Amino acid sequence: MSHYNVEETAQPYQQQQLAGQFAQRFQLLAGNIEHVIRGKREAIELALICLFAEGHLLIEDVPGTGKTTLARSIAASVDAEWRRIQFTPDLLPSDITGVSIFNQAYQKFEFHKGPVFANIVLADEINRASPKTQSALLEVMEERRVTVDSEPHQVPRPFLVVATQNPVDMDGTYPLPEAQLDRFLMQISVGYPDHASEVEVLKGGPSGPQVERLPVVARAADVAGMIDFATRIHVADPVYDYIVALCGATRNHPALRLGASPRGSLALLRAARVKAAAAGRHFVVPEDVKALAVPVLAHRLIRTPDAELRELTAGQVLGEILTGMPVPQAV
């Protein structure tokens, strides 16, 4: 069993202070959003980890569980610009990215930005648009810019795409292929609220907490600073080894036809750094990696036909791998 020494992660006192400030701001944001999304603290924190890790979030859930409200609440809490794009079969790539229009007065083409030029973009029911339109959004997610007429246009920072899928009524939809699913940092499910939380929602009714009334608790500039700090969180060599071993085990598991790619390893590392900072630490521990393995890696795995027949989920396979893999111990 490998070991890692927490003393090796010792940073200047200022780093620890900054980690504490990061954790305070993170919990303040999560608590603010929870005023609207009741009883879903874990889903809220995972969405915020995506924001600070500069990743993107795919939410697959039934209608009415708060997918749209979650994205709007993050934008309202951060004082960020947000846009909602309803994906339909007739949606064109230019409807997302924007289009060049000829200006008669100046005798030249001018680029008119599309709804993707916002801090938080909600791609509602992404599987209902054609693959060509899906690819236009996924390209912006990866490159963080739109190129029109050989001219690049940067999207603002922070930039978070929250895409939703409805797992029921799949007729006439275009499921995202595995290569495109890999571009999402996480895939989560909000799920139904528990009994007590749903009672609170009913009691609030029309006069209860609403997104429009949420106070702003962070500026977009604050979020950008937190993103930069998260990239400096220390990772000890045994934790790097643990991440690589975990992803490597998915490539050799008999129940999986395709394991996690190196992009999956990098995604897990970025998310683990944010989780460490959110806990007020300036170093990553293996528990950060374990806690995020399923939401970060499960959607990147393709099961074998036999595993599908046995109804073995990718999350269950990851659970088996995590259970059987030795964890680096602090000394």
Side-chain angles (χ1 to χ4, degrees), residues 20-326:
Q21 290 170 11
F22 186 107
Q24 282 184 335
R25 182 65 55 81
F26 187 94
Q27 296 305 325
L28 188 63
L29 277 166
N32 198 49
I33 296 166
E34 201 172 20
H35 287 137
V36 176
I37 308 289
R38 302 292 183 115
K40 292 296 172 186
R41 184 72 173 209
E42 184 182 1
I44 292 168
E45 291 189 356
L46 288 174
L48 289 175
I49 287 171
C50 277
L51 174 67
F52 293 119
E54 290 201 290
H56 304 288
L57 181 66
L58 179 62
I59 307 177
E60 185 171 275
D61 220 329
V62 294
T65 51
K67 302 185 293 292
T68 304
T69 308
L70 176 58
R72 289 184 62 198
S73 300
I74 295 171
S77 300
V78 174
D79 188 24
E81 189 177 1
W82 93 286
R83 293 283 184 274
R84 178 179 180 271
I85 307 169
Q86 181 64 53
F87 277 63
T88 54
D90 59 347
L91 193 73
L92 299 173
S94 58
D95 295 332
I96 295 173
T97 58
V99 66
S100 287
I101 298 176
F102 187 72
N103 187 319
Q104 296 256 5
Y106 295 99
Q107 291 293 298
K108 65 176 184 178
F109 282 93
E110 290 181 349
F111 178 64
H112 288 246
K113 293 180 177 179
V116 79
F117 286 88
N119 296 111
I120 295 172
V121 178
L122 175 66
D124 225 350
E125 296 191 284
I126 190 173
N127 55 331
R128 296 204 177 276
S130 68
K132 185 176 181 180
T133 304
Q134 292 173 358
S135 297
L137 175 67
L138 292 160
E139 182 184 1
V140 183
M141 288 164 54
E142 186 70 16
E143 305 294 335
R144 297 183 179 273
R145 66 182 180 184
V146 172
T147 303
V148 177
D149 300 330
S150 303
E151 189 76 25
H153 303 273
Q154 294 290 137
V155 294
R157 191 182 190 218
F159 178 60
L160 170 70
V161 172
V162 180
T164 70
Q165 284 192 143
N166 184 350
V168 296
D169 189 23
M170 298 288 282
D171 293 341
T173 62
Y174 305 88
L176 290 173
E178 287 73 18
Q180 294 184 352
L181 281 173
D182 200 37
R183 298 189 185 254
F184 287 95
L185 183 75
M186 292 186 199
Q187 179 176 346
I188 66 169
S189 172
V190 177
Y192 293 116
D194 58 43
H195 182 87
S197 298
E198 193 162 359
V199 168
E200 285 298 313
V201 171
L202 295 182
K203 282 183 178 178
S207 61
Q210 295 176 1
V211 176
E212 293 79 11
R213 299 181 193 164
L214 277 180
V216 173
V217 295
R219 295 170 302 158
D222 298 330
V223 174
M226 292 170 75
I227 289 169
D228 289 335
F229 174 73
T231 62
R232 302 195 300 270
I233 296 294
H234 179 78
V235 182
D237 285 346
V239 178
Y240 281 121
D241 290 338
Y242 183 58
I243 292 172
V244 172
L246 177 59
C247 291
T250 65
R251 298 164 197 163
N252 303 312
H253 197 282
L256 298 175
R257 186 160 53 90
L258 184 69
S261 66
R263 182 186 279 158
S265 306
L266 287 166
L268 190 53
L269 174 65
R270 282 159 48 206
R273 278 188 156 127
V274 175
K275 187 163 180 64
R281 282 183 275 103
H282 58 272
F283 55 89
V284 175
V285 297
E287 285 68 27
D288 298 325
V289 177
K290 288 184 73 172
L292 294 169
V294 173
V296 172
L297 297 180
H299 65 286
R300 304 170 194 269
L301 310 178
I302 302 179
R303 297 167 294 163
T304 61
D306 180 58
E308 290 180 10
L309 280 172
R310 291 188 287 128
E311 296 185 348
L312 188 65
T313 66
Q316 289 170 331
V317 174
L318 278 169
E320 285 178 20
I321 293 171
L322 288 166
T323 302
M325 184 167 290

